[in-house]
Amino acid sequence: MGTAAGGVGSGPRYVQIADEIVQQIRAGILKPGDMVPSESELVERYGVSGGTIRKAMVEVRASGLVETRHGKGSIVKSRPPVRHRSSDRFRRSLRQGGQAAYLAESAQSGATAKVSVLYIGPMDAPEDAAQRLGIPAGAQVLARRRLYFRNGTPVESATSYLPWGVVKDIPELFAENPGGGGIYARLEDHGHEFAEFVETLQARPASKAESSELALSPGAPVVHLIREARTTAGLVVEVCDTLMAADQFVFEYRIPADD
């Protein structure tokens, strides 16, 4: 999708129609809170079948620019400012200053942040997390599942998996609020000094359950990020499985040019 507003690009007819609607939203012709024209209006406007319009609206919803409300149709989203997710977010100085990464970034961007804790407790390690942690699949881990809000909108969900042998003697990690600097500060307090954080990202459409949790339109784009927290002793002491609403984040990384 990349044609100017008012023009229809190449490709199947439903893609052309979706492209034009998306460009109208991006150009401000359709503003936040506006209703997207109904199926019957679009059928008349473009001279196509209802099936073609329904296909087009699947593409429009996948853009993440509209939300569908039962019985009302599709409405252009009010999109809060995009938040930068920087490679500086895990600096030790932030933890020592009592700031967890998400709250520190949100404060820097002037947003109101909230973290809702959904679950803290023992869990059998999922296969991927277990492999990254270097433990058998199904071994007991501590799971910490959170939902993150920005200006009242859910933008990110995350589940941390921590080896039971590491956390069993750190009672703060079982608390809803682990204290200033978050769980990484508590791990370092107990001798687990971090050497690096390794993140793997994949963009994909949200599942039905994910769309519901993050208040997205069905099939809206999300970024699936998995982070490994590695210590100077060569241990992975946390795997964090994170899902983010793609239109809420810009990723910024600092890549050293020297050896």
Side-chain angles (χ1 to χ4, degrees), residues 1 8 11-19 21 38-61:
M1 295 182 183
V8 179
R13 184 61 172 152
Y14 72 90
V15 173
Q16 297 171 4
I17 294 168
D19 185 70
I21 295 170
S38 67
E39 181 180 318
S40 60
E41 290 174 310
L42 293 172
V43 164
E44 184 176 351
R45 177 185 299 179
Y46 291 105
V48 295
S49 69
T52 297
I53 294 301
R54 286 190 289 276
K55 282 186 176 181
M57 287 308 301
V58 168
E59 296 290 315
V60 173
R61 287 192 293 271

Side-chain angles (χ1 to χ4, degrees), residues 45-124:
R45 177 185 299 179
Y46 291 105
V48 295
S49 69
T52 297
I53 294 301
R54 286 190 289 276
K55 282 186 176 181
M57 287 308 301
V58 168
E59 296 290 315
V60 173
R61 287 192 293 271
S63 73
L65 298 174
V66 303
E67 58 181 323
T68 302
R69 297 180 183 174
H70 183 68
K72 291 187 176 182
S74 296
I75 300 172
V76 179
K77 281 186 180 179
S78 297
R79 300 171 70 209
V82 169
R83 180 171 71 83
H84 283 268
R85 190 179 182 98
S86 169
S87 56
D88 292 335
R89 67 198 307 263
F90 296 120
R91 291 200 312 271
R92 183 168 286 107
S93 59
L94 291 176
R95 293 195 295 279
Q96 292 173 341
Q99 293 180 288
Y102 178 79
L103 298 178
E105 275 191 332
S106 296
Q108 289 167 5
S109 65
T112 300
K114 176 189 172 186
V115 182
S116 178
V117 177
L118 305 179
Y119 174 78
I120 300 174
M123 180 181 287
D124 294 342

Side-chain angles (χ1 to χ4, degrees), residues 218-231:
V222 291
V223 175
H224 185 198
L225 181 151
I226 297 178
R227 180 173 63 254
E228 298 177 16
R230 299 179 178 175
T231 70

Side-chain angles (χ1 to χ4, degrees), residues 137-191:
Q140 183 170 274
V141 293
L142 173 65
R144 295 179 57 93
R145 179 161 175 74
R146 296 90 65 200
L147 186 61
Y148 296 86
F149 295 81
R150 175 186 169 87
N151 296 334
T153 299
V155 296
E156 175 181 342
S157 65
T159 303
S160 291
Y161 302 101
L162 302 104
W164 197 261
V166 169
V167 304
K168 62 184 176 62
D169 297 322
I170 310 177
E172 296 95 334
L173 296 184
F174 292 80
E176 185 170 316
N177 181 358
I183 64 173
Y184 291 159
R186 299 294 78 74
L187 285 162
E188 287 200 313
D189 288 346
H190 287 76

